[in-house]
Amino acid sequence: MIFDAHFHIIDPRYPLVANQGYLPPAFTASDYKARVTHLQVNGGVVVSGSFQQFDQQYLVAALQQLGTGFVGVTQIPEYVTDKEIRQLHASGIRAVRFNVQRGGSATVDHLEELARRVYDLAGWHTELYIDSRELKDLLPVLKRLPRISIDHLGLSKEGLPYLLELVADGVRVKATGFSRCNFNVVEVMQQINAVDRSALMFGTDLPSTRAPQPFSDDDVALVKDNFPEDVAKRIFYQNAKDFYFQV
Protein backbone atom coordinates (compact mmCIF):
# COMPACT_ATOMS: atom_id res chain seq x y z
CA MET A 1 0.00 0.00 0.00
CA ILE A 2 1.23 3.50 -0.88
CA PHE A 3 0.49 6.88 0.63
CA ASP A 4 1.62 9.09 -2.24
CA ALA A 5 3.49 11.89 -0.47
CA HIS A 6 3.97 14.12 -3.52
CA PHE A 7 2.07 14.62 -6.77
CA HIS A 8 0.54 17.45 -8.76
CA ILE A 9 -2.89 18.01 -10.27
CA ILE A 10 -3.03 20.32 -13.29
CA ASP A 11 -6.62 21.20 -14.04
CA PRO A 12 -7.11 23.41 -17.13
CA ARG A 13 -10.27 24.89 -15.61
CA TYR A 14 -8.07 26.96 -13.31
CA PRO A 15 -5.38 29.54 -14.05
CA LEU A 16 -1.76 28.64 -14.77
CA VAL A 17 1.19 31.02 -14.84
CA ALA A 18 4.14 30.24 -17.08
CA ASN A 19 7.26 29.55 -15.00
CA GLN A 20 10.49 30.31 -16.84
CA GLY A 21 8.42 29.94 -20.02
CA TYR A 22 7.03 26.55 -18.99
CA LEU A 23 3.35 25.58 -18.86
CA PRO A 24 2.51 21.96 -18.03
CA PRO A 25 0.00 19.80 -19.88
CA ALA A 26 -3.23 18.88 -18.14
CA PHE A 27 -3.15 16.13 -15.52
CA THR A 28 -6.50 16.00 -13.77
CA ALA A 29 -7.63 14.14 -10.68
CA SER A 30 -9.22 11.58 -13.01
CA ASP A 31 -5.91 11.19 -14.88
CA TYR A 32 -4.11 10.65 -11.59
CA LYS A 33 -6.56 8.01 -10.40
CA ALA A 34 -6.24 6.14 -13.68
CA ARG A 35 -2.43 6.21 -13.55
CA VAL A 36 -2.10 4.81 -10.02
CA THR A 37 -5.06 2.42 -10.00
CA HIS A 38 -2.76 -0.64 -9.92
CA LEU A 39 -0.39 0.76 -7.26
CA GLN A 40 -2.64 0.38 -4.21
CA VAL A 41 -2.52 4.11 -3.46
CA ASN A 42 -4.49 4.77 -0.29
CA GLY A 43 -4.29 8.52 0.18
CA GLY A 44 -1.71 11.12 -0.65
CA VAL A 45 -0.64 14.73 -1.00
CA VAL A 46 -1.50 17.20 -3.77
CA VAL A 47 1.35 19.72 -3.99
CA SER A 48 1.06 23.18 -5.55
CA GLY A 49 3.54 23.79 -8.36
CA SER A 50 5.40 26.92 -9.39
CA PHE A 51 3.03 27.35 -12.33
CA GLN A 52 0.03 27.51 -9.95
CA GLN A 53 1.50 30.20 -7.73
CA PHE A 54 -1.11 31.29 -5.14
CA ASP A 55 -4.22 29.85 -6.80
CA GLN A 56 -6.22 27.82 -4.29
CA GLN A 57 -9.24 26.96 -6.43
CA TYR A 58 -7.64 24.03 -8.23
CA LEU A 59 -6.27 22.58 -4.98
CA VAL A 60 -9.56 22.72 -3.11
CA ALA A 61 -11.34 21.19 -6.12
CA ALA A 62 -8.73 18.44 -6.47
CA LEU A 63 -9.06 17.43 -2.82
CA GLN A 64 -12.84 17.28 -3.18
CA GLN A 65 -12.47 15.02 -6.22
CA LEU A 66 -9.85 12.75 -4.67
CA GLY A 67 -11.77 12.35 -1.42
CA THR A 68 -10.89 10.94 1.98
CA GLY A 69 -7.23 10.31 2.69
CA PHE A 70 -5.86 13.08 0.49
CA VAL A 71 -4.50 16.40 1.75
CA GLY A 72 -2.89 19.44 0.15
CA VAL A 73 0.32 21.46 0.27
CA THR A 74 -0.20 25.03 -0.83
CA GLN A 75 1.73 28.15 -1.70
CA ILE A 76 0.54 31.27 0.05
CA PRO A 77 1.86 34.83 0.13
CA GLU A 78 3.23 36.34 3.31
CA TYR A 79 0.21 38.67 3.44
CA VAL A 80 -2.33 35.83 3.64
CA THR A 81 -4.90 36.41 6.38
CA ASP A 82 -5.51 34.19 9.39
CA LYS A 83 -9.04 33.63 8.13
CA GLU A 84 -7.77 32.36 4.78
CA ILE A 85 -5.35 29.95 6.46
CA ARG A 86 -8.16 28.51 8.59
CA GLN A 87 -10.40 28.17 5.53
CA LEU A 88 -7.67 26.34 3.66
CA HIS A 89 -7.15 24.04 6.63
CA ALA A 90 -10.88 23.22 6.62
CA SER A 91 -10.51 22.31 2.93
CA GLY A 92 -7.77 19.78 3.70
CA ILE A 93 -4.55 21.75 3.30
CA ARG A 94 -1.87 20.71 5.77
CA ALA A 95 1.37 22.46 4.77
CA VAL A 96 2.91 25.51 3.13
CA ARG A 97 5.48 25.13 0.36
CA PHE A 98 8.48 27.31 -0.38
CA ASN A 99 9.60 26.66 -3.94
CA VAL A 100 13.17 27.90 -3.74
CA GLN A 101 14.17 25.96 -6.86
CA ARG A 102 11.52 27.28 -9.26
CA GLY A 103 9.82 30.24 -7.59
CA GLY A 104 6.08 30.92 -7.61
CA SER A 105 5.84 30.85 -3.83
CA ALA A 106 6.69 33.17 -0.96
CA THR A 107 10.45 33.69 -0.71
CA VAL A 108 12.73 32.39 2.01
CA ASP A 109 12.88 35.95 3.35
CA HIS A 110 9.48 35.13 4.85
CA LEU A 111 10.28 31.51 5.73
CA GLU A 112 10.55 31.70 9.49
CA GLU A 113 7.69 34.12 10.02
CA LEU A 114 5.24 32.32 7.74
CA ALA A 115 6.24 28.82 8.86
CA ARG A 116 5.67 29.71 12.51
CA ARG A 117 2.42 31.45 11.73
CA VAL A 118 0.79 28.55 9.88
CA TYR A 119 2.02 26.12 12.50
CA ASP A 120 0.60 28.16 15.36
CA LEU A 121 -2.71 28.78 13.57
CA ALA A 122 -3.37 25.41 11.99
CA GLY A 123 -0.58 22.98 12.88
CA TRP A 124 0.80 23.03 9.34
CA HIS A 125 4.33 21.99 8.57
CA THR A 126 6.61 23.60 5.98
CA GLU A 127 7.95 22.00 2.81
CA LEU A 128 10.89 23.18 0.73
CA TYR A 129 11.72 22.43 -2.88
CA ILE A 130 15.38 23.34 -2.67
CA ASP A 131 18.77 22.22 -3.85
CA SER A 132 20.38 20.85 -0.68
CA ARG A 133 23.51 22.90 -1.35
CA GLU A 134 21.43 25.93 -0.39
CA LEU A 135 20.48 24.40 2.96
CA LYS A 136 23.80 25.43 4.51
CA ASP A 137 22.77 29.06 4.91
CA LEU A 138 19.29 28.08 6.14
CA LEU A 139 20.37 25.54 8.76
CA PRO A 140 19.97 27.87 11.76
CA VAL A 141 16.45 28.90 10.70
CA LEU A 142 15.30 25.40 9.77
CA LYS A 143 16.54 23.95 13.05
CA ARG A 144 14.38 26.46 14.92
CA LEU A 145 11.21 25.58 13.05
CA PRO A 146 8.67 22.88 13.89
CA ARG A 147 8.05 20.12 11.36
CA ILE A 148 9.90 20.50 8.07
CA SER A 149 10.16 18.35 4.96
CA ILE A 150 12.47 18.57 1.93
CA ASP A 151 11.38 17.58 -1.59
CA HIS A 152 13.09 15.19 -4.02
CA LEU A 153 15.86 13.92 -1.73
CA GLY A 154 17.42 17.37 -1.80
CA LEU A 155 18.48 17.01 -5.46
CA SER A 156 22.27 17.39 -5.02
CA LYS A 157 25.01 15.12 -3.73
CA GLU A 158 27.05 18.17 -2.76
CA GLY A 159 24.47 19.25 -0.19
CA LEU A 160 23.89 15.82 1.32
CA PRO A 161 25.81 16.55 4.56
CA TYR A 162 23.45 19.46 5.29
CA LEU A 163 20.41 17.34 4.49
CA LEU A 164 21.57 14.55 6.80
CA GLU A 165 22.24 17.08 9.54
CA LEU A 166 18.61 18.19 9.29
CA VAL A 167 17.35 14.60 9.21
CA ALA A 168 19.14 14.05 12.51
CA ASP A 169 17.12 17.02 13.79
CA GLY A 170 13.82 15.42 12.73
CA VAL A 171 13.33 16.85 9.23
CA ARG A 172 11.50 14.55 6.80
CA VAL A 173 12.61 13.91 3.22
CA LYS A 174 10.47 13.02 0.22
CA ALA A 175 11.71 10.04 -1.77
CA THR A 176 10.39 11.48 -5.02
CA GLY A 177 11.53 12.68 -8.43
CA PHE A 178 14.45 10.25 -8.62
CA SER A 179 15.60 11.41 -12.07
CA ARG A 180 15.95 14.97 -10.76
CA CYS A 181 18.79 13.91 -8.45
CA ASN A 182 22.51 13.90 -9.36
CA PHE A 183 23.37 10.88 -7.20
CA ASN A 184 22.62 7.21 -6.64
CA VAL A 185 19.18 7.50 -5.04
CA VAL A 186 19.31 4.09 -3.37
CA GLU A 187 22.55 4.94 -1.57
CA VAL A 188 21.21 8.29 -0.41
CA MET A 189 17.91 6.82 0.76
CA GLN A 190 19.84 4.22 2.72
CA GLN A 191 21.92 6.95 4.37
CA ILE A 192 18.81 8.94 5.29
CA ASN A 193 17.07 5.85 6.65
CA ALA A 194 20.12 4.99 8.73
CA VAL A 195 19.83 8.38 10.46
CA ASP A 196 16.06 8.26 11.03
CA ARG A 197 13.72 5.44 10.01
CA SER A 198 10.76 7.82 10.04
CA ALA A 199 12.31 10.34 7.64
CA LEU A 200 11.69 8.96 4.13
CA MET A 201 8.29 9.47 2.48
CA PHE A 202 7.71 7.97 -0.97
CA GLY A 203 5.81 9.83 -3.67
CA THR A 204 5.19 9.42 -7.37
CA ASP A 205 5.89 13.06 -8.32
CA LEU A 206 3.27 12.60 -11.04
CA PRO A 207 3.00 13.91 -13.69
CA SER A 208 6.76 14.55 -13.30
CA THR A 209 6.73 18.03 -14.80
CA ARG A 210 10.12 18.95 -16.28
CA ALA A 211 11.78 15.82 -14.81
CA PRO A 212 14.45 14.22 -17.04
CA GLN A 213 12.50 10.96 -16.76
CA PRO A 214 8.88 10.63 -15.62
CA PHE A 215 7.81 8.42 -12.73
CA SER A 216 7.56 4.75 -13.60
CA ASP A 217 6.66 1.61 -11.71
CA ASP A 218 10.40 0.90 -11.63
CA ASP A 219 10.66 3.62 -8.97
CA VAL A 220 8.44 1.52 -6.72
CA ALA A 221 10.52 -1.56 -7.44
CA LEU A 222 13.68 0.38 -6.56
CA VAL A 223 12.46 0.78 -2.99
CA LYS A 224 11.01 -2.72 -2.71
CA ASP A 225 14.20 -4.34 -3.98
CA ASN A 226 16.65 -2.40 -1.82
CA PHE A 227 15.03 -2.22 1.61
CA PRO A 228 13.74 -4.87 4.02
CA GLU A 229 9.98 -5.30 3.86
CA ASP A 230 9.30 -3.55 7.16
CA VAL A 231 11.41 -0.54 6.15
CA ALA A 232 9.83 -0.38 2.69
CA LYS A 233 6.37 -0.32 4.28
CA ARG A 234 7.39 2.70 6.34
CA ILE A 235 8.79 4.49 3.29
CA PHE A 236 5.77 3.71 1.11
CA TYR A 237 3.04 4.36 3.64
CA GLN A 238 3.44 4.79 7.35
CA ASN A 239 5.99 7.60 7.57
CA ALA A 240 4.01 10.01 5.39
CA LYS A 241 0.64 8.97 6.76
CA ASP A 242 1.85 9.71 10.29
CA PHE A 243 3.41 13.01 9.24
CA TYR A 244 0.43 14.43 7.35
CA PHE A 245 -2.25 13.23 9.73
CA GLN A 246 -0.44 14.20 12.92
CA VAL A 247 -2.67 17.27 13.26
Side-chain angles (χ1 to χ4, degrees):
M1 206 157 52
I2 292 173
F3 183 88
D4 187 351
H6 191 105
F7 66 94
H8 304 283
I9 297 297
I10 299 136
D11 190 330
R13 296 178 299 168
Y14 302 102
L16 294 173
V17 180
N19 177 264
Q20 302 170 4
Y22 175 80
L23 280 173
F27 186 74
T28 66
S30 296
D31 294 331
Y32 173 76
K33 288 179 179 179
R35 175 62 182 85
V36 301
T37 186
H38 65 293
L39 292 179
Q40 298 187 67
V41 169
N42 183 16
V45 185
V46 184
V47 178
S48 289
S50 59
F51 39 76
Q52 286 154 327
Q53 294 196 353
F54 301 135
D55 176 58
Q56 310 298 334
Q57 301 172 85
Y58 97 90
L59 184 53
V60 171
L63 293 176
Q64 290 173 344
Q65 290 174 275
L66 292 166
T68 304
F70 289 87
V71 296
V73 175
T74 193
Q75 295 167 162
I76 50 176
E78 67 277 7
Y79 52 80
V80 67
T81 67
D82 291 358
K83 180 180 179 181
E84 288 170 320
I85 293 170
R86 293 189 179 102
Q87 288 173 336
L88 289 171
H89 183 81
S91 298
I93 284 76
R94 293 295 179 266
V96 60
R97 190 187 202 207
F98 287 82
N99 195 329
V100 184
Q101 186 74 358
R102 299 284 189 189
S105 68
T107 68
V108 290
D109 294 337
H110 304 285
L111 172 60
E112 184 163 17
E113 177 187 1
L114 190 53
R116 288 191 179 281
R117 188 165 159 233
V118 298
Y119 181 81
D120 291 342
L121 275 172
W124 292 3
H125 66 270
T126 297
E127 304 196 359
L128 288 91
Y129 181 16
I130 187 171
D131 187 309
S132 58
R133 289 174 292 191
E134 298 185 55
L135 291 173
K136 181 179 180 180
D137 293 337
L138 291 174
L139 285 175
V141 172
L142 294 176
K143 289 185 176 187
R144 290 196 297 267
L145 294 179
R147 305 187 66 225
I148 301 289
S149 71
I150 307 292
D151 292 346
H152 307 320
L153 295 169
L155 299 173
S156 292
K157 180 179 181 179
E158 296 81 358
L160 184 59
Y162 312 125
L163 182 67
L164 293 176
E165 185 175 341
L166 288 171
V167 170
D169 254 30
V171 169
R172 306 297 181 97
V173 180
K174 291 191 177 184
T176 56
F178 293 161
S179 71
R180 302 179 190 273
C181 304
N182 72 353
F183 46 70
N184 182 309
V185 296
V186 170
E187 291 179 1
V188 168
M189 285 192 291
Q190 289 171 337
Q191 290 181 63
I192 292 169
N193 185 68
V195 176
D196 184 353
R197 285 167 53 92
S198 67
L200 285 170
M201 306 185 296
F202 182 84
T204 63
D205 190 35
L206 285 167
S208 307
T209 55
R210 287 186 277 195
Q213 295 178 4
F215 167 80
S216 76
D217 292 1
D218 290 342
D219 295 339
V220 177
L222 200 66
V223 175
K224 289 178 67 175
D225 294 346
N226 288 282
F227 289 91
E229 184 177 359
D230 63 321
V231 177
K233 285 181 177 179
R234 294 186 64 87
I235 295 170
F236 281 132
Y237 185 81
Q238 201 61 53
N239 287 346
K241 186 67 178 290
D242 290 347
F243 190 57
Y244 282 91
F245 284 87
Q246 183 173 325
V247 297

